[in-house]
Amino acid sequence: VQLQASGGGLVHDGDSLRLTCEASGRTFSSYSVSWFRQAPGKEREFVAGISFRSGTYYADYVKGRFTISRDDPKNTVYLQIQSLKPEDTAVYYCAARKGSIGLSTVDFSSWGQGTLVTVSS
């Protein structure tokens, strides 16, 4: 399955944003999907994941502000971000795999183009 992230942009401190991850392929519903982000000069890090059964898992630093959801008929996974902070500035990527939610970059063999989120103070 191939994924494309979108929905990023320039926002202000405290704003909200919804990122979209669109997938190609007819078996999307059998994949778990994870969101990662990479800030300038930093490693790519796990943000949130949703299993093929819609179970969710979040990095501790985003709990309460980020919500991941999926719409399988639309082959889409969303990442809703509330109360954005300047430290959320990063390129956000989505990735998919069969089985459990991937929590590490080594869990995935391919990455699509990310979407840039810039939060101004």
Side-chain angles (χ1 to χ4, degrees), residues 31-80:
Y31 283 77
S32 295
V33 177
S34 298
W35 282 95
F36 287 75
R37 69 183 185 184
Q38 188 166 17
K42 294 189 176 181
E43 297 290 317
R44 193 169 298 186
E45 62 181 0
F46 172 80
V47 173
I50 188 165
S51 73
F52 61 94
R53 293 178 178 173
S54 295
T56 59
Y57 186 79
Y58 297 91
D60 286 342
Y61 61 86
V62 303
K63 285 182 179 177
R65 294 197 300 122
F66 288 41
T67 303
I68 189 171
S69 60
R70 66 188 299 156
D71 186 341
D72 287 338
K74 294 183 179 179
N75 277 8
T76 301
V77 169
Y78 302 101
L79 185 68
Q80 180 73 41

